[in-house]
Amino acid sequence: MLRTISPQDMREMERAFLEGTGYPSILLMEHAAQAVVEAVKEFAAPGSRVLFVCGGGNNGGDGCAAARLWMQQGGWADVWLLKNPSQMRGDAGINACLLNACGASLNVLYGDAPDIPEDCTAIVDALYGTGFSRALEGVSLSAVERINESGLPVVAVDIPSGVDGSNGHVLGEAVRADVTVTFHRAKHGHLLFPGRSCTGRLIVADIGILQDWDGAQGIDVLEEADARQLLPLRPMDGYKGIFGHVLVVAGSENMTGAAVLCTKAVLRSGAGLVTAACPPMVKSAIQASDPCAMVQAVADGPCLNADVADRLVQMAMGKKALAIGPGIGCAEGVWQAIEQLVCCDMPKVIDADALTLFAQYGGTVGANTVLTPHPGEMARLCGVEVKDVLASPVELTQQLAADLGACVLLKGATTVIAQGEDVCMNVTGCSAMGTGGSGDVLTGIIASLLAQGMSPMDAARVGAFYHGRAGEAAQGKVGARAVTAMDILDALRIE
């Protein structure tokens, strides 16, 4: 499992390791440089010309060391420096001065950055590391603009310059890398937007810090092996009764598709049985699209109303999990219909209109609950603006989870999931999933996994992982612009 680390914790861990073991710090820089050069080889042929853009700190030292190694392997290195080598301190200064002995072409920048050499094949960004948290300006900004305008492949050292390593914020301009080589562990800013969009493909390189010295907290990022391991076993003699029965409360006159997608996703994700409770016009849509689902009409009108509350409670009896909210609408009486289910202690997923109503009326949900808001719904639940959610997705998700005592899954290009002390990010998925109904599929997946016995946190993060994988597969089949939620459902494979 991948686990991120904050820049501050990374610096403290590295300091403790060096002081506690006596390991030479310059060797860590050498290991980092070697990893950078290996990444450069993906874009630059042996003997070709590479531009190394280096700051005055340790990130610049990594770049200088990489430039030297590139030359020692027969390549040509142009080096732009923000400081004269004699002004650089410590290991960075040593490596900058070594470049003179190797005959590198050094250019200390005092004004605007010059043009990129015409025969340059790749660029290494080593201006600023993960501790950088302000807007680029002056010569640094000029250098980054040259890098981004070049059209050449870019390898970023540790993190693209201009990206805040702690949260992914970009205050102005930032390098847009094709590959980022980071060290020991990924940083939060690599995976949170907009920093993730600047990172490109992320390589996490071992630079020699022993795992025994790494006790730092972080954010888990599920990988495929982790997701598979968390899935419940399906015994050879299993039958529908032991794989769980889900009650889906979804749909209204103008939102029949939400109920269809959620109901179908439950069965596609391994639950043995599903029953949908919905208005009459939704019943016929579900029956026509999925003969494997059971459906009961529970309201006379176009949407749920207060009169069906007791019947929904009766239908929930004996079920293993509930999915509440997709397409139910926010008309008067809908909250009264679902309130008892929302506040009960059964395993359940609360999504879509149910979240809007819950934000309006409030209540308790309990530890067996997964809430799946998008940023707009999250803003209503937290009493903030959407921009606040986008600026602090991890912090707000953790806070809401703590306030409710539940599992909260904040949907997005990077999904954040939290419950108690646990926090996880999901990075599967693609832009093709920005289509109506995608969230309804996710609700069905998570409810199905809950019914099969998974904990809310595990059901949420495994569900998000496979939901994203299905989106990627659908995009690969029909292209990003053509994907619908049905395509995501058809591509869903949980195994």
Side-chain angles (χ1 to χ4, degrees):
M1 183 181 297
L2 188 67
R3 172 170 281 194
T4 66
I5 188 171
S6 72
Q8 181 179 354
D9 285 344
M10 181 67 194
R11 288 191 294 273
E12 177 58 28
M13 180 183 61
E14 186 175 321
R15 181 198 61 76
F17 171 70
L18 293 173
E19 292 181 359
T21 62
Y23 197 87
S25 59
I26 199 165
L27 281 184
L28 292 185
M29 188 169 284
E30 193 76 359
H31 297 326
Q34 290 169 344
V36 171
V37 169
E38 288 304 309
V40 169
K41 290 178 181 177
E42 179 180 342
F43 305 105
S48 62
R49 190 172 194 170
V50 174
L51 173 63
F52 295 79
V53 185
C54 303
N58 282 339
N59 194 254
D62 293 337
C64 289
R68 170 177 50 79
L69 289 174
W70 182 249
M71 295 185 69
Q72 289 173 328
Q73 295 180 23
W76 178 255
D78 280 273
V79 183
W80 292 356
L81 294 169
L82 293 190
K83 286 185 179 180
N84 190 291
S86 63
Q87 297 175 316
M88 296 171 67
R89 299 179 179 180
D91 300 334
I94 292 172
N95 274 298
C97 290
L98 282 173
L99 285 173
N100 277 323
C102 293
S105 174
L106 301 181
N107 188 348
V108 181
L109 306 182
Y110 294 105
D112 289 344
D115 292 335
I116 306 290
E118 289 186 3
D119 55 349
C120 186
T121 57
I123 301 174
V124 172
D125 161 37
L127 277 169
Y128 295 107
T130 55
F132 187 82
S133 59
R134 61 184 187 276
L136 294 167
E137 58 184 7
V139 65
S140 300
L141 176 59
S142 175
V144 168
E145 289 173 342
R146 288 283 190 271
I147 292 170
N148 288 339
E149 293 166 358
S150 71
L152 294 171
V154 178
V155 176
V157 177
D158 211 5
I159 198 164
S161 295
V163 175
D164 188 325
S166 64
N167 52 32
H169 290 179
V170 175
L171 302 176
E173 186 64 273
V175 167
R176 295 187 289 275
D178 296 276
V179 170
T180 295
V181 182
T182 197
F183 311 120
H184 187 70
R185 277 162 65 176
K187 313 309 179 295
H188 306 336
H190 291 130
L191 303 181
L192 292 169
F193 282 86
R196 184 177 162 195
S197 64
C198 299
T199 297
R201 182 165 57 87
L202 182 64
I203 297 172
V204 181
D206 178 13
I207 57 172
I209 297 176
L210 299 174
Q211 290 297 326
D212 290 346
W213 290 85
D214 185 356
Q217 297 296 312
I219 300 175
D220 291 336
V221 182
L222 223 61
E223 298 178 288
E224 187 153 6
D226 308 310
R228 287 184 175 181
Q229 188 172 11
L230 288 170
L231 286 171
L233 295 175
R234 293 181 72 86
M236 293 179 63
D237 59 348
Y239 54 95
K240 63 185 179 183
I242 69 168
F243 294 137
H245 190 166
V246 176
L247 175 66
V248 172
V249 182
S252 57
E253 183 177 27
N254 297 318
M255 295 290 288
T256 58
V260 170
L261 289 164
C262 185
T263 302
K264 290 173 73 72
V266 169
L267 292 177
R268 285 290 182 90
S269 305
L273 296 163
V274 63
T275 296
C278 56
M281 65 285 298
V282 180
K283 177 180 178 179
S284 57
I286 296 175
Q287 289 176 321
S289 66
D290 194 346
C292 301
M294 295 177 284
V295 195
Q296 290 191 32
V298 294
D300 296 330
C303 61
L304 303 177
N305 55 61
D307 294 338
V308 306
D310 290 340
R311 186 174 180 189
L312 289 176
V313 171
Q314 291 175 351
M315 291 182 67
M317 294 177 64
K319 305 299 189 294
K320 292 296 184 181
L322 313 175
I324 310 168
I328 59 174
C330 296
E332 184 177 357
V334 176
W335 173 248
Q336 287 75 17
I338 65 171
E339 181 179 8
Q340 293 182 71
L341 295 186
V342 168
C343 299
C344 76
D345 60 1
M346 286 184 64
K348 58 187 174 295
V349 185
I350 303 175
D351 184 35
D353 295 326
L355 289 172
T356 298
L357 293 167
F358 181 70
Q360 180 179 349
Y361 293 99
T364 59
V365 291
N368 282 332
T369 304
V370 180
L371 293 86
T372 57
H374 59 56
E377 292 161 345
M378 187 72 166
R380 290 191 286 272
L381 288 165
C382 296
V384 300
E385 296 184 22
V386 173
K387 64 180 179 62
D388 300 317
V389 176
L390 298 177
S392 303
V394 175
E395 294 82 0
L396 284 174
T397 302
Q398 288 181 295
Q399 185 60 57
L400 183 61
D403 291 344
L404 297 175
C407 177
V408 176
L409 181 153
L410 173 59
K411 292 183 283 196
T414 294
T415 293
V416 181
I417 309 154
Q419 184 169 28
E421 297 296 319
D422 296 328
V423 59
C424 178
M425 290 190 291
N426 181 69
V427 296
T428 63
C430 53
S431 64
M433 301 178 73
T435 184
S438 178
D440 303 323
V441 174
L442 177 62
T443 296
I445 295 171
I446 297 172
S448 181
L449 295 176
L450 286 172
Q452 294 169 67
M454 295 186 74
S455 70
M457 184 68 184
D458 285 345
R461 59 183 179 164
V462 171
F465 179 89
Y466 283 109
H467 182 244
R469 280 282 184 260
E472 294 167 356
Q475 177 174 286
K477 183 176 181 180
V478 302
R481 289 176 172 81
V483 169
T484 68
M486 284 298 295
D487 295 315
I488 297 171
L489 187 59
D490 290 341
L492 182 63
R493 301 290 184 272
I494 300 180
E495 55 188 8

